[in-house]
Amino acid sequence: MLHSVQSSPSYPDNMQKKSLHDLAVFTGKPAFSEPLHVGRPNIGNRAALTRRMEDILDSRWLTNNGPYVQEFERRICELTGAAHCVSMCNGTVGLELVIRALGMSGEVIVPSFTFIATVHALQWQGIQPVFCDVDPLTHTIDPAAAEKLITPRTSGIIGVHLWGRPAAPERLADLAQKHKLKLVFDAAHALGCTHQGIGIGNFGDAEVFSFHATKFINSFEGGAVVTNDAALAGRLRMMHNFGFTGYDCVESIGTNGKMPEISAAMGITSLESLENFVAHNRRNFDAYAHRLGGLPGLRLYRFPEEDRYNWQYVTLEIDPAAALTRDEIMQMLHAENVLARRYFYPGCHRMEPYRSLYPNAPSSLPHTEALVQRVLSLPTGTAVSDSDIASICELVTLALNNPDAVRKRLASNQ
Ligand code: T4K
């Protein structure tokens, strides 16, 4: 049975969908009256945020390394265990600045199975991204494949902790050391995660977090570079403030990458609810695992139990030989107002300008090519309740039990 949604009054009672024709791709009403998104922001304690916003307005200190930014950076250091945090206006600028501050140039090895910002941050500064395949089990960069891509022009590697899964930090560090390369981790998904007990934020030369609205800890927009290298942190601090070192004194090229006070206030407020957000995400993950577990051809991307994760992405892998394809399941869910996402389809190498620059890339990325056809991110976060998940899973089950009819109907709807 499809339940009414207690936690979100905007969703009225969901219908019971007993038969195939109750599905919205046939003649049924959508199961959700409003779109259920992947990436609905988590909102912390509103009263605490409002108090902080009043304080910011009262103090008339709105940006430029104000007290809330300093507190936010302190709290990120406490959480990760890393020595330095330089907050940024977003994660993309954090990536661009750390790439520049480390002097990366020529070629940098990077997975294609990531959000486009990881790759754009290189190309934007005239650095050639060299696409590396991923491990099909972890979805993160394959260090053995990365080693084969090293040339005399290679200056660095960017690993991505996709879904919050650490991207082989030791193996990549060994590789970087052996070949004298810089190593950065795009940790946009991995705040609050650990690897062998060590907080993400402590690996490579630096790690970059995102606090975009859709991340489980958000600062509206925001990012941070975290590092144990004091000199690097100093350079980043200068570079994200136009290169200023004091009044009237510019010591390097720079830009405006600063996080404003309002974002830091939201970030601090979000951090205060971190444990609740993780617990909610974990419950959601378990609910999906319980309800989808037995369905043939479906597999939830899982994390090894020994470390800490934030569980902010629920990624379903749909075997191409399953009764319905990933895209058919997605279309069926979209008709029900469940806006599941194909993160990160079609792979950066198949988006411009990379598709034109590197037309042969697909042949060297077999695991990436396969994964982008089979993954589907499902709604989670505090805006998604257990009864929402029960409804989503019932929809998937109903469709998978009637694959031929659903496929035929989808084809005729096009
Ligand atoms: N590296 C990686 C690995 C990343 O995943 C990202 C960002 C970055 C780097 C760059 O960090 P930032 O520069 O962004 O700090 C979203 C986010 O925009 C993007 O930040 C994120 N990754 C990516 C995984 O997801 P889109 O284009 O898929 O969706 P978007 O932003 O339209 O939001 C998704 C859905 O969330 C919407 O359909 C509606 C809902 N939503 C969104 C916003 C912004 C809300 O309900 N409320 C909101 O305020 O990229």
Side-chain angles (χ1 to χ4, degrees), residues 37-41 89-93 95 114-118 160-162 186-189 208-215 220-223 313 339 341 343-344:
H37 292 282
V38 172
R40 210 84 173 123
C89 54
N90 59 55
T92 305
V93 167
L95 283 165
T114 179
F115 186 61
I116 195 69
T118 323
V160 181
H161 301 314
L162 208 74
D186 178 337
H189 300 179
V208 183
F209 293 109
S210 165
F211 304 110
H212 182 259
T214 54
K215 296 292 177 287
F220 301 123
E221 287 270 6
Y313 290 97
L339 302 187
R341 296 288 303 270
Y343 286 147
F344 288 103

Side-chain angles (χ1 to χ4, degrees), residues 15-314:
M15 308 154 55
Q16 276 196 350
K17 302 223 176 195
K18 292 184 190 131
S19 89
L20 186 60
H21 289 271
D22 293 333
L23 287 176
V25 291
F26 288 91
T27 48
K29 263 175 65 181
F32 293 88
S33 62
E34 291 188 17
L36 191 62
H37 292 282
V38 172
R40 210 84 173 123
N42 294 325
I43 309 291
N45 183 319
R46 284 164 192 252
L49 176 64
T50 307
R51 207 173 351 95
R52 289 180 172 122
M53 283 163 65
E54 294 285 356
D55 189 35
I56 289 167
L57 298 178
D58 289 346
S59 73
R60 292 180 190 263
W61 195 278
L62 306 187
T63 185
N64 288 18
N65 201 28
Y68 283 105
V69 159
Q70 291 178 33
E71 181 181 344
F72 180 65
E73 291 179 349
R74 257 196 324 274
R75 287 191 186 219
I76 294 293
C77 287
E78 277 164 26
L79 174 67
T80 58
H84 307 279
C85 169
V86 183
S87 60
M88 297 282 171
C89 54
N90 59 55
T92 305
V93 167
L95 283 165
E96 288 170 2
L97 286 188
V98 78
I99 286 164
R100 193 168 190 125
L102 284 168
M104 286 185 179
S105 62
E107 298 174 0
V108 170
I109 296 165
V110 64
S112 171
F113 192 45
T114 179
F115 186 61
I116 195 69
T118 323
V119 179
H120 276 349
L122 292 164
Q123 184 76 24
W124 190 254
Q125 338 197 43
I127 298 170
Q128 183 184 335
V130 175
F131 293 118
C132 184
D133 211 0
V134 291
D135 178 318
L137 288 179
T138 64
H139 298 188
T140 61
I141 189 168
D142 173 357
E147 183 154 28
K148 293 191 187 127
L149 296 171
I150 294 171
T151 72
R153 294 189 71 229
T154 309
S155 64
I157 303 172
I158 300 185
V160 181
H161 301 314
L162 208 74
W163 320 134
R165 175 75 165 259
E170 291 91 359
R171 289 185 63 196
L172 289 182
D174 289 348
L175 204 57
Q177 196 182 23
K178 183 168 149 198
H179 296 274
K180 299 192 171 33
L181 305 175
K182 301 295 182 192
L183 176 61
V184 166
F185 288 101
D186 178 337
H189 300 179
L191 187 79
C193 301
T194 62
H195 175 64
Q196 297 185 355
I198 298 170
I200 294 299
N202 292 275
F203 297 97
D205 291 292
E207 307 211 51
V208 183
F209 293 109
S210 165
F211 304 110
H212 182 259
T214 54
K215 296 292 177 287
F216 97 110
I217 294 293
N218 85 83
S219 62
F220 301 123
E221 287 270 6
V225 183
V226 170
T227 179
N228 288 313
D229 179 339
L232 175 64
R235 287 202 297 283
L236 286 164
R237 233 171 244 298
M238 201 167 36
M239 288 171 82
H240 91 323
N241 186 26
F242 312 100
F244 277 112
T245 51
Y247 282 148
D248 310 326
C249 186
V250 170
E251 291 291 340
S252 82
I253 190 165
T255 186
N256 184 352
K258 290 171 276 122
M259 175 182 273
E261 287 289 272
I262 188 90
S263 284
M266 181 63 165
I268 293 165
T269 309
S270 300
L271 284 173
E272 286 170 347
S273 293
L274 182 139
E275 295 300 335
N276 289 344
F277 295 161
V278 172
H280 194 106
N281 286 346
R282 180 69 209 251
R283 276 198 302 278
N284 282 356
F285 180 91
D286 289 344
Y288 275 118
H290 174 66
R291 290 171 189 277
L292 296 177
L295 294 178
L298 302 193
R299 187 171 85 86
L300 269 195
Y301 177 91
R302 288 178 178 274
F303 297 85
E305 284 294 336
E306 64 264 18
D307 266 300
R308 220 187 116 95
Y309 302 97
N310 57 40
W311 306 91
Q312 68 176 312
Y313 290 97
V314 175

Side-chain angles (χ1 to χ4, degrees), residues 331 409-414:
Q331 284 170 42
R409 181 71 181 188
L410 286 169
S412 72
N413 285 352
Q414 275 170 2

